[in-house]
Amino acid sequence: MKSLIKTPTEIQAMREGGKILAMVLKEVAKAVKPGIKTIELNKLAERRLRELGAKPSFLGYKSDYLVYPASLCTSVNSEVVHGIPKKNKILEEGDIVGLDLGCWYKGLCVDTATTAAVGNVSAGAQKLIKITKQSLIEALRQVQGGVSIGDIGHVVETYVEAQGFSVVRQLTGHGVGRSVHEEPAIPNFGQAGKGPKLLAGMTIAIEPMVNAGGYEVATQADGWTVVTVDGSLSAHFEHTVLVTEKGYEILTTI
Ligand code: MF3
Ligand code: CO
Ligand code: CO
């Protein structure tokens, strides 16, 4: 197995790609307004990535016999992740939408996600977004060479459940860089001190997916869109980070 440790050249490519990706995701999030179609967000994301010299990494991504048909994932309300942008899906005031974007740059890939409110949203939706975002920050605070992957999941799970929400268990964060998904898996639940250890030089995508109701999810007939089984709202935040001896560096930031 190839080492999970990236070289300085690979890390620099991911830093540059991560900056581009963060800029584009920010632009896409800003474009979220009542009346916009999810396909328009996809077009904006793809056009801006290419203008900045990057290539979408989800477009054409293969999972078993399925091929992902877009550059961006747009997951609305009870959709958790991997929602496919559509020309007939109009965002409405009060919706929340997960925006997940990845790109290739200089041969390496990075991955990031945010959840945006469409106009004014309910207090419950605002709280879900805030807690999910904070759960990613809590996760990042654990990251350092030598810590166990279970430490990350443990803090996310504990923090989220204390707020009355649940963490999705069927999907995880992951190593990233030479491929869209690499080892190790980074679950958003777990036990402190358990699991493999992070090593300085690894690049990982940490991505809590938080449901307002139960943690159970299912995949829709399109083979991609993951939804909450109870129909409750779900939010998602993700950063690609470099593990360092002393902590971490967020790569998907401006
Ligand atoms: N971005 C997703 C993740 O965070 C993977 C998307 S793959 C796609 O792991 F094909 F669904 F786009
Ligand atoms: Co992602
Ligand atoms: Co990811």
Side-chain angles (χ1 to χ4, degrees):
M1 190 184 71
K2 212 177 167 191
S3 165
L4 298 173
I5 309 296
K6 268 65 177 189
T7 66
T9 311
E10 288 177 315
I11 291 166
Q12 186 54 26
M14 291 180 72
R15 212 175 258 133
E16 292 169 20
K19 196 159 282 193
I20 292 170
L21 191 69
M23 283 171 48
V24 174
L25 188 69
K26 197 172 173 185
E27 286 183 41
V28 173
K30 251 185 115 173
V32 168
K33 301 254 159 56
I36 197 162
K37 299 182 174 104
T38 54
I39 196 79
E40 297 176 302
L41 297 173
N42 179 67
K43 280 186 193 145
L44 174 64
E46 179 163 352
R47 178 172 61 78
R48 291 297 291 139
L49 282 180
R50 293 193 194 280
E51 281 173 1
L52 295 167
K55 270 197 337 202
S57 56
F58 303 166
L59 185 65
Y61 176 87
K62 292 185 184 68
S63 152
D64 303 325
Y65 57 97
L66 291 169
V67 179
Y68 192 73
S71 298
L72 180 72
C73 299
T74 52
S75 306
V76 182
N77 296 335
S78 61
E79 296 174 356
V80 180
V81 285
H82 306 165
I84 302 172
K86 290 195 177 60
K87 60 180 189 298
N88 56 4
K89 178 65 190 175
I90 301 170
L91 295 178
E92 292 173 13
E93 177 106 29
D95 287 342
I96 63 172
V97 58
L99 306 166
D100 191 344
L101 187 62
C103 73
W104 290 104
Y105 188 74
K106 296 188 177 173
L108 277 288
C109 67
V110 283
D111 188 358
T112 187
T114 190
T115 299
V118 185
N120 290 309
V121 303
S122 70
Q126 285 176 42
K127 180 181 174 196
L128 178 68
I129 291 173
K130 184 174 143 207
I131 297 304
T132 309
K133 187 172 189 176
Q134 185 61 32
S135 76
L136 173 55
I137 293 168
E138 299 295 326
L140 292 172
R141 285 155 50 95
Q142 302 306 309
V143 175
Q144 182 173 4
V147 308
S148 303
I149 286 174
D151 291 347
I152 297 176
H154 179 69
V155 300
V156 174
E157 179 185 1
T158 307
Y159 177 75
V160 164
E161 290 176 359
Q163 307 293 327
F165 298 143
S166 62
V167 296
V168 173
R169 289 159 182 264
Q170 279 189 38
L171 296 145
T172 66
H174 50 91
V176 60
R178 296 173 193 138
S179 328
V180 173
H181 294 130
E182 297 175 354
E183 285 181 28
I186 318 276
N188 295 302
F189 62 95
Q191 285 173 268
K194 294 282 170 72
K197 285 187 175 12
L198 294 178
L199 299 171
M202 285 182 172
T203 48
I204 56 174
I206 304 183
E207 50 178 315
M209 290 150 267
V210 176
N211 297 348
Y215 64 74
E216 298 86 355
V217 297
T219 305
Q220 286 191 326
D222 63 18
W224 289 105
T225 314
V226 177
V227 295
T228 59
V229 167
D230 61 12
S232 66
L233 291 179
S234 188
H236 178 212
F237 283 81
E238 174 174 27
H239 269 310
T240 295
V241 301
L242 169 68
V243 181
T244 65
E245 298 289 350
K246 293 228 166 86
Y248 62 92
E249 176 186 338
I250 300 177
L251 299 175
T252 43
T253 191
I254 292 167

